[in-house]
Amino acid sequence: MQTTNRQVNSNYDQSTETPRIATVHRTTGETAVQVTINLDGRGTCTAATGIPFLDHMLHQIASHGLIDIDVQAKGDWEIDDHHTNEDVGITLGQAFNQALGDRKGIVRFGNFLAPLDEALVQVALDFSGRPHLSYGLQIPTQRVGTYDTQLVREFFVALVNHSQMTLHIRQLDGINSHHIIEATFKAFARATRLAVEIDPRRAGLIPSSKGFL
């Protein structure tokens, strides 16, 4: 059996790599969405989706994931928030997929347990190339402000399918809808931050025994 010796560069500097940035435009008869992300950012966020609570959650992803995010959306809000919420998830997922590229060198897996007062939510994810969502939230109210809490699941369905990640969300505790949802987005952000980091021991290599994601 042929073996290959590979020297690990313990002084690998991620800052020398090309920034992982993507911009995606999505226009339909219902919405127009533009998303720009920088996976190697500092957590800045500009979000104007027309859905204030969704903007607030996008800020959580950026701030706690150290991902720069710019989301601009126009939608058929006169009907409801569903199409805009979903299409922001789709476009953000596509931006993640493009920014990750061939996914060489990334840690790939992320897991985080986030408390927010009485709420406790765990998120585990894998940028596997195989979309799957296991969603375990039990949100007690139909709305937080004007936001329909059913749209949380729809956002993550869209994000998962278009970023091609496996995502598990588990609610361990919580009775306040706002706290449960915000803990989810914070846990997602921190798990994502772990997963998209470059592993200096695997820099330049696909993080899979198959050699492909």
Side-chain angles (χ1 to χ4, degrees):
M1 181 173 59
Q2 184 178 6
T3 61
T4 301
N5 293 324
R6 180 173 60 88
Q7 183 177 1
V8 175
N9 181 9
S10 60
N11 296 316
Y12 174 76
D13 182 4
Q14 184 178 347
S15 67
T16 65
E17 293 293 295
T18 302
R20 296 173 296 171
I21 299 172
T23 297
V24 177
H25 304 262
R26 174 182 170 83
T27 302
T28 72
E30 298 164 340
T31 67
V33 181
Q34 176 179 307
V35 172
T36 298
I37 65 169
N38 178 2
L39 298 181
D40 304 302
R42 300 180 64 87
T44 63
C45 182
T46 302
T49 67
I51 308 172
F53 189 77
L54 180 59
D55 291 347
H56 181 43
M57 294 303 104
L58 292 170
H59 276 271
Q60 305 312 308
I61 295 176
S63 177
H64 295 282
L66 288 182
I67 300 167
D68 293 343
I69 298 177
D70 186 327
V71 180
Q72 306 295 319
K74 294 183 179 180
D76 52 358
W77 304 300
E78 70 281 1
I79 297 174
D80 64 12
D81 293 338
H82 186 282
H83 296 144
T84 306
N85 178 88
E86 181 179 34
D87 286 2
V88 168
I90 289 171
T91 312
L92 183 61
Q94 291 172 341
F96 266 108
N97 197 41
Q98 288 189 24
L100 285 166
D102 58 17
R103 310 189 186 204
K104 286 182 179 179
I106 65 170
V107 173
R108 176 179 160 181
F109 298 95
N111 177 56
F112 200 82
L113 185 64
L116 180 56
D117 296 348
E118 90 299 340
L120 185 63
V121 177
Q122 182 181 31
V123 166
L125 58 83
D126 174 11
F127 282 99
S128 60
R130 298 184 302 276
H132 174 82
L133 174 64
S134 181
Y135 181 85
L137 295 187
Q138 296 179 342
I139 303 170
T141 63
Q142 184 176 352
R143 294 192 177 275
V144 174
T146 61
Y147 186 76
D148 182 349
T149 56
Q150 294 184 73
L151 296 182
V152 176
R153 186 181 187 280
E154 297 307 312
F155 174 85
F156 282 112
V157 167
L159 178 62
V160 161
N161 286 338
H162 291 271
S163 64
Q164 299 183 33
M165 74 165 71
T166 296
L167 176 63
H168 290 259
I169 300 172
R170 289 289 178 269
Q171 178 182 332
L172 282 72
D173 208 347
I175 58 174
N176 179 282
S177 298
H178 190 137
H179 293 168
I180 293 166
I181 297 169
E182 187 165 335
T184 300
F185 276 83
K186 287 179 175 177
F188 172 79
R190 291 302 297 261
T192 299
R193 176 179 169 183
L194 293 170
V196 303
E197 287 292 322
I198 297 297
D199 183 348
R201 297 176 61 194
R202 209 199 297 256
L205 299 177
I206 299 291
S208 170
S209 60
K210 300 188 297 292
F212 178 81
L213 286 174

